């Protein structure tokens, strides 16, 4: 069973809850999601999911990304574009022909561990069937689908005092936890506890960047823009233009990594950006050698450069929408990479692991990725990397 596989991972056994200075997801739960049943996956600074094809690695990453999207305000159909694929294969519909899936997470931070659990009805219509936000065994916020004929759920949250609980309808296609800061006044101790827990969860969910570099989209020159890296990394050249001018130290670290991950000598990473023209990124090969445009690099080299850039940078250089109410120093960026080592050789994969440990060791960046067995085998020998084995 996947839950048993999670316990066989190289992550250390669960101990007393560790208080984190920045809100981070420390556990992902898939109680009925795709092939996963009753699975609880610990999430550390660097967490890699390994296992053969069909073991559910991509489903774990998809669940994490969907929760992140809902936390950022996405509707259900955006977070789950193919909800039928997330229904457990042998799930039997009830008398009303309803089937769905369940997932959740634990977010630790200054307020302590907070649990978010979500039940989604996928058939016959996509909607939230139930949601629960809890802390220390106390339910702070909950929703339930009372009337299938209405496109709303009945929500209740802790108020305290003489009232005890406040009840109100909420949309059935949005994460209720993300709506609480707009609905709860915070005038009582109970309401403030609800708001603190909800805001911690939302900060962690919004601080996520899903990255899947597409070499076929990264070769052509790109227009000059804001220099915020897209999820497919198609505008890598424009981002390198920006980091070269604004992030000298990180740009130098990326050039150093390129010496390991790219074939041939690499003196520096440079760009050609004529006034009003498009941007072309190049590898500077050193004195007397012609520069190499990124268009001429192999697919693995391009994926390596893009992933290295993501690990070495921050939210301000990525196309994401972190919580604006907190300084970036109070947030931890989580990078999701399904197929982190796809198309990479062992040398490139090893360098990415080194960069991940370098960046994640400071507490500002976390990495959750699916990898092949070669990278997983190398990672098992590294202190600070948790490998979750889904092989059975």
């Amino acid at each position: 069973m996947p839950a048993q596989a999670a316990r066989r991972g190289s992550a250390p056994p669960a101990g007393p809850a560790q208080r984190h200075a920045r809100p981070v997801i420390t556990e992902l739960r898939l109680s009925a999601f795709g092939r996963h049943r009753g699975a609880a996956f610990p999430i550390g600074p660097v967490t890699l999911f390994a296992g053969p094809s069909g073991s559910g690695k991509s489903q774990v990453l998809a669940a994490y990304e969907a929760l992140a999207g809902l936390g950022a305000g996405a509707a259900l159909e955006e977070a789950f574009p193919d909800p039928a694929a997330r229904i457990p294969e042998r799930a039997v519909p009830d008398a009303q022909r309803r089937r769905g899936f369940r997932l959740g997470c634990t977010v630790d931070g200054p307020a302590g561990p907070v649990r978010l659990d979500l039940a989604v009805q996928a058939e016959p219509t996509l909607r939230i069937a139930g949601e629960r936000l809890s802390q220390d065994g106390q339910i702070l916020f909950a929703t339930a689908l009372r009337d299938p004929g209405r496109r709303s759920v009945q929500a209740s949250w802790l108020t305290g005092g003489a009232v005890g609980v406040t009840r109100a309808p909420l949309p059935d296609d949005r994460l209720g936890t993300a709506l609480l800061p707009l609905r709860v006044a915070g005038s009582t101790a109970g309401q403030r506890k609800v708001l603190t827990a909800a805001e911690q969860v939302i900060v962690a969910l919004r601080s996520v960047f899903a990255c899947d570099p597409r070499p076929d989209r990264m070769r052509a020159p790109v227009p000059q823009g804001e220099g915020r890296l897209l999820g497919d990394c198609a505008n890598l050249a424009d981002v390198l233009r920006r980091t070269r001018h604004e992030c000298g130290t990180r740009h130098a670290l990326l050039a150093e990594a390129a010496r390991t991950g790219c074939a041939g000598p690499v003196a520096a990473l440079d760009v050609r950006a004529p006034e009003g023209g498009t941007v072309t990124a190049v590898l500077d090969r050193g004195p007397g050698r012609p520069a190499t445009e990124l268009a001429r690099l192999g697919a693995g080299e391009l994926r390596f450069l893009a992933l290295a850039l993501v690990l070495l940078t921050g939210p301000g250089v990525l196309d994401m929408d972190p919580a604006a109410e907190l300084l970036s120093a109070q947030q931890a960026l989580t990078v999701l990479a399904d197929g982190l080592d796809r198309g990479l050789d062992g040398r490139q994969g090893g360098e990415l692991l080194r960069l991940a440990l370098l960046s994640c060791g400071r507490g500002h960046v976390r990495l959750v990725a699916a990898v092949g067995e070669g990278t997983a085998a190398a990672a098992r020998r590294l202190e600070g990397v948790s490998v979750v084995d889904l092989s059975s």
Side-chain angles (χ1 to χ4, degrees), residues 281-352:
V282 299
L283 295 183
D284 182 349
R285 297 299 192 177
R289 297 174 179 266
T292 302
E293 295 185 2
L294 260 60
R296 300 180 65 87
L297 298 183
E301 291 175 300
L302 287 172
R303 279 185 55 82
F304 170 82
L305 284 175
L307 290 165
L309 172 61
V310 172
L311 290 173
L312 289 171
T313 188
V317 186
L318 305 176
D319 186 28
M320 57 182 296
D321 185 25
E325 61 272 16
L326 283 181
L327 297 174
S328 59
Q330 297 175 301
Q331 303 179 54
L333 166 68
T334 297
V335 176
L336 298 184
D338 187 6
L340 176 75
D341 54 350
R342 187 188 317 127
L344 306 187
D345 60 28
R347 173 177 50 94
Q348 293 165 329
E351 179 66 4
L352 283 184

Side-chain angles (χ1 to χ4, degrees), residues 15-364:
Q18 176 186 358
R19 185 62 55 89
H20 292 263
R22 305 173 185 88
V24 293
I25 292 178
T26 55
E27 183 180 75
L28 181 67
R29 293 182 296 279
L30 304 180
S31 56
F33 190 92
R35 75 181 306 275
H36 297 287
R37 304 285 194 281
F41 303 113
I43 305 296
V46 181
T47 305
L48 307 180
F49 288 87
S53 177
S55 61
K57 302 186 299 294
S58 293
Q59 289 180 342
V60 174
L61 273 292
Y64 201 130
E65 185 176 358
L67 284 172
L70 291 172
L76 271 182
E77 59 267 23
E78 299 174 80
F80 299 105
D82 186 13
R86 308 306 176 194
I87 301 174
E89 185 176 358
R90 298 179 182 177
V92 178
D94 64 12
Q96 286 76 42
R97 298 181 295 108
R98 296 178 299 185
R99 294 198 307 164
F101 46 87
R102 295 175 179 270
L103 67 164
C105 63
T106 296
V107 176
D108 202 358
V114 179
R115 286 176 59 103
L116 172 68
D117 294 287
L118 191 65
V120 177
Q121 174 188 298
E123 298 174 353
T125 56
L126 182 63
R127 62 198 308 183
I128 291 177
E131 179 181 346
R132 177 177 293 182
L133 187 71
S134 60
Q135 186 173 27
D136 298 327
Q138 181 183 28
I139 298 175
L140 304 179
F141 167 74
T143 70
L145 183 59
R146 302 296 187 192
D147 184 353
R150 293 185 176 182
R151 295 311 309 259
S152 64
V153 291
Q154 182 64 36
S156 61
W157 57 84
L158 179 67
T159 304
V163 177
V165 173
T166 299
R167 292 182 172 84
L170 289 179
D172 68 351
D173 66 341
R174 305 277 174 172
L175 188 70
T177 298
L179 301 175
L180 288 177
L182 303 175
R183 301 296 297 266
V184 180
S187 56
T188 68
Q191 290 177 340
R192 289 191 289 273
K193 186 173 184 178
V194 171
L195 283 176
T196 298
E199 289 169 354
Q200 177 168 289
V201 169
I202 297 309
V203 168
L205 292 179
R206 292 183 63 173
S207 303
V208 170
F209 182 70
C211 180
D212 184 15
R214 295 285 302 273
D216 56 314
R217 302 178 183 177
M218 298 163 60
R219 301 183 184 280
V222 297
Q224 295 189 31
E226 296 180 351
R228 300 184 70 194
L229 190 67
L230 301 174
D232 63 0
C233 303
N235 63 335
L236 176 65
D238 188 46
V239 180
L240 291 175
R241 174 192 59 82
R242 177 182 173 186
T243 59
R244 187 187 62 166
H245 292 291
E246 298 182 7
C247 313
T249 300
R250 292 176 178 175
H251 191 83
L253 288 172
L254 181 61
E256 181 182 341
R259 296 185 186 103
T260 300
C262 296
V266 177
L269 282 170
D270 204 353
V271 293
R272 296 167 180 164
E275 187 70 27
T278 56
V279 183
T280 301
V282 299
L283 295 183
D284 182 349
R285 297 299 192 177
R289 297 174 179 266
T292 302
E293 295 185 2
L294 260 60
R296 300 180 65 87
L297 298 183
E301 291 175 300
L302 287 172
R303 279 185 55 82
F304 170 82
L305 284 175
L307 290 165
L309 172 61
V310 172
L311 290 173
L312 289 171
T313 188
V317 186
L318 305 176
D319 186 28
M320 57 182 296
D321 185 25
E325 61 272 16
L326 283 181
L327 297 174
S328 59
Q330 297 175 301
Q331 303 179 54
L333 166 68
T334 297
V335 176
L336 298 184
D338 187 6
L340 176 75
D341 54 350
R342 187 188 317 127
L344 306 187
D345 60 28
R347 173 177 50 94
Q348 293 165 329
E351 179 66 4
L352 283 184
L353 290 178
R354 186 189 73 81
L355 293 177
L357 288 171
L358 173 67
S359 298
C360 298
R362 300 167 181 164
H364 293 279

